[in-house]
Structures are given as C-alpha cells and as structure tokens.
C-alpha cells in the first residue's frame, strides 16, 4: 500500500478510515470524510481509470492522509482477508466509513452488510448524496463534463473542475495573427467537450482570469489543442506546469471561413469573458 509522501503519519495512530475510489474528491466523497475523527485517513482503491483527480493530485482536496490500494493487488481477497489486511495496516482501527454502494473482495461479492459483520468496530454507511435531484457520482460528473455542462459538474464537485498540463509549442499563429496563448499537453485528465470556456489559469500559484479553447483547430490545421489566453496580462510560454479551472462554457467549437472571421470571434469571446469577470467579481 502506498501513501502520499507529503503527509507522513504513523499508521498506528489512525483510528478511522474512509474507503472508496474517490476520483473527483467531490461533495459526496467529502461527506464521507466528515465522518472521520481527528486521527482519520483515506483509503483510495486505485483502478487505474481515475481521470477527474488522478492519484497524485488527490491530496490537494483533503487534509487527511491518503493511502492507496492498487485494485489488481487486492481484488482476489475474500472479505475476511481484506478486513484482516486493513487491521494489520491500521492496528488501532476502530471505525470504517463507506458509501451506501460500497462493495469489496473477490468479484465484489461483499458489500456493506458483510462489512458490518466482518469488521469488529463501527461501520458508518453514508446514504446516496443528491444535489438538485442529481445523484453525485464520479461517473455522472464525467458525463456532464463530456457534454460541456461545466456549471452542473462544478456543483456536483463542490469546486471548479481543474486540469493540469505541461506547456508545449503551439502553431505560432496566436501571437502573430490572433492573441497570445499558452498551449498545453494534457495527459491524465478528462477534458470537457470541445469548445471555448471561461476559465482561470494558474501559473506559479498565481491565478489569472482567462479564456480557454480545447478541441480540434477546424479553422486552421485541424490538430487538437488546449490553449489558454490570459486576460490583461502579457505572459508567454514557459516551463511551468499550468493549471486550468473551468468556470463556464461560452460556445461550441466552430469552423470559420476565414482568419478574419475567426479573429473577430476570438476578440468577441474575450470581451464576453472580461464582462463576465467584471460582473461576477
């Protein structure tokens, strides 16, 4: 079992754990964490498919230490073997917190009822969390992101959806013909639907108002791009890891007949984004 190296905690001091996948660290996950005591910890089951908050980014959203189980390493265990493993890892464990749909062990044949029977301590089951009649699950949030419904996804997350990317060289058209942009390569994160978004861009821990395009450059070379323009700032590409927080979708990805029409639309999008930040903040 691997733990985030940023929080060194003696496992013998841990008395409560929350168990789950925790991709997204969304409001339902946070409800589980509220039921931990001051010596609590998070046990994250790693399937390898987390793309809302990939493993190394998860600690950002909780003060509790996070330990990771790789699913392939434990999925063969029977229910009692899994509980034995937890008791060995956390010898003073007295409480386990899970969601209502938690299942574990070989073929996922053990669920909350079995957990209560097998674990000799307190088992807290958190009911399904809904917001505006929408069930809060990572899979549901993914679908809203894929549909470009950022504002709904953000409500379910309890925060603005954020991705990390590494800066790369772009077409070179932005600073010459349009507006300067920072171009990103994004590997681990689910990207929202293609389009133009009101965003905030974070460089060296400083947050800037921005507008971000992601999708295929259908009006130029057709290649896929993630590029962000920072408003009212002259910031050029560098080697910094860049974070982008998505706030609101402005429009779909459109094809324009000329560079001039594309440029005019970009300038219009920028003005709309500036007005948004003026009105909101």
């Amino acid at each position: 079992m691997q733990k985030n190296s940023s929080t060194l905690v003696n496992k013998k001091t841990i008395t409560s754990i929350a168990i789950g996948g925790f991709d997204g660290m969304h409001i339902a996950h946070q409800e589980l964490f509220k039921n931990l005591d001051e010596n609590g910890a998070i046990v994250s089951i790693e399937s390898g498919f987390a793309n809302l908050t990939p493993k190394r980014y998860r600690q950002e959203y909780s003060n509790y230490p996070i330990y990771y189980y790789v699913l392939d390493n434990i999925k063969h265990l029977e229910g009692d073997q899994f509980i034995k493993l937890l008791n060995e890892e956390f010898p003073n464990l007295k409480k386990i917190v899970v969601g209502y749909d938690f299942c574990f062990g070989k073929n996922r044949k053990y669920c909350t009822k079995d957990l209560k029977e097998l674990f000799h301590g307190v088992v807290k089951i958190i009911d399904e969390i809904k917001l505006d009649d929408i069930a809060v699950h990572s899979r549901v949030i993914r679908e809203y992101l894929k549909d470009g419904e950022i504002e709904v996804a953000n409500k379910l997350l309890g925060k603005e959806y954020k991705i990390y990317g590494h800066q790369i060289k772009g077409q070179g058209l932005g600073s010459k013909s349009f507006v300067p942009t920072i171009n990103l390569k994004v590997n681990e994160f689910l990207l929202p639907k293609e389009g133009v978004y009101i965003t905030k861009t974070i460089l060296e821990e400083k947050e800037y108002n921005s507008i971000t395009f992601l999708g295929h450059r259908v009006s130029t070379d057709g290649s896929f791009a993630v590029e962000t323009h920072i408003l009212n700032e002259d910031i050029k590409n560098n080697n910094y890891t860049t974070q982008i927080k998505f706030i609101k979708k402005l429009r779909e990805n459109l094809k324009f007949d000329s560079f001039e029409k594309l440029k005019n639309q970009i300038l219009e999008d920028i003005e709309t984004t500036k007005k948004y930040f003026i009105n909101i903040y």
Side-chain angles (χ1 to χ4, degrees):
M1 185 159 54
Q2 183 181 1
K3 185 183 148 310
N4 189 293
S5 60
S6 67
T7 49
L8 299 175
V9 177
N10 188 332
K11 294 176 188 174
K12 291 181 180 179
T13 67
I14 292 170
T15 55
S16 63
I17 59 173
I19 312 175
F22 302 126
D23 186 23
M25 298 293 280
H26 52 61
I27 61 173
H29 296 150
Q30 298 299 329
E31 203 61 37
L32 267 69
F33 306 155
K34 288 177 185 176
N35 286 270
L36 296 172
D37 60 32
E38 61 181 356
N39 295 314
I42 297 168
V43 170
S44 179
I45 309 298
E46 288 299 294
S47 65
F49 297 107
N51 58 4
L52 300 177
T53 48
K55 179 176 172 179
R56 62 195 179 102
Y57 302 97
R58 218 161 293 170
Q59 190 68 65
E60 178 179 351
Y61 302 106
S62 179
N63 292 324
Y64 289 108
I66 303 177
Y67 296 82
Y68 295 92
Y69 280 103
V70 176
L71 179 60
D72 285 345
N73 294 341
I74 62 169
K75 65 183 182 181
H76 65 285
L77 297 175
E78 296 294 343
D80 59 338
Q81 294 174 314
F82 179 64
I83 299 305
K84 180 183 177 183
L85 177 62
L86 291 177
N87 284 324
E88 289 173 350
E89 288 283 335
F90 307 102
N92 288 303
L93 184 62
K94 299 192 171 41
K95 182 180 184 180
I96 295 177
V97 184
V98 295
Y100 73 101
D101 57 351
F102 176 74
C103 293
F104 63 101
K106 190 174 182 180
N107 300 320
R108 288 175 54 83
K109 63 183 177 182
Y110 303 93
C111 295
T112 55
K113 179 176 178 292
D114 305 290
L115 181 61
K116 287 183 176 181
E117 293 175 358
L118 292 169
F119 178 66
H120 302 302
V122 176
V123 175
K124 175 69 175 178
I125 312 297
I126 305 301
D127 292 335
E128 184 175 50
I129 305 297
K130 290 188 176 183
L131 186 64
D132 298 332
D133 289 327
I134 302 172
V136 182
H137 298 283
S138 299
R139 65 180 181 274
V140 174
I141 294 170
R142 288 190 194 98
E143 291 307 311
Y144 280 110
L145 290 171
K146 290 175 184 177
D147 290 339
E149 296 190 50
I150 292 297
E151 291 170 285
V152 178
N154 287 348
K155 281 184 179 180
L156 302 182
L157 284 166
K159 57 184 179 288
E160 290 156 343
Y161 182 60
K162 182 166 72 171
I163 63 171
Y164 286 69
H166 297 288
Q167 297 184 16
I168 58 174
K169 185 178 176 60
Q171 284 180 293
L173 290 175
S175 56
K176 295 176 183 177
S177 305
F178 304 127
V179 296
T181 60
I182 296 172
N183 297 269
L184 301 177
K185 175 75 171 177
V186 180
N187 292 318
E188 300 171 278
F189 290 83
L190 174 67
L191 291 174
K193 184 179 181 181
E194 293 192 12
V196 177
Y197 294 85
I198 296 172
T199 56
K200 283 182 174 287
T201 297
I202 303 171
L203 297 168
E204 289 194 299
E205 306 307 318
K206 186 174 179 181
E207 193 170 270
Y208 302 91
N209 295 341
S210 60
I211 180 171
T212 299
F213 165 80
L214 62 90
H216 292 85
R217 297 182 178 113
V218 291
S219 299
T220 55
D221 66 355
S223 64
F224 187 86
V226 179
E227 48 188 349
T228 185
H229 169 69
I230 294 176
L231 306 180
N232 306 318
E233 299 279 354
D234 183 20
I235 295 177
K236 297 178 173 60
N237 274 14
N238 49 54
N239 293 322
Y240 302 134
T241 297
T242 302
Q243 305 170 49
I244 297 178
K245 294 162 71 173
F246 290 85
I247 299 172
K248 181 181 177 69
K249 187 175 182 182
L250 272 185
R251 63 171 174 85
E252 300 288 334
N253 185 12
L254 303 173
K255 182 176 176 61
F256 296 90
D257 297 331
S258 67
F259 276 0
E260 190 63 29
K261 289 182 179 179
L262 173 57
K263 183 175 182 178
N264 289 339
Q265 183 62 61
I266 290 172
L267 294 176
E268 182 180 322
D269 293 338
I270 289 172
E271 285 307 309
T272 301
T273 302
K274 286 180 179 178
K275 288 176 183 176
Y276 172 85
F277 283 114
I278 289 171
N279 291 332
I280 293 297
Y281 299 99

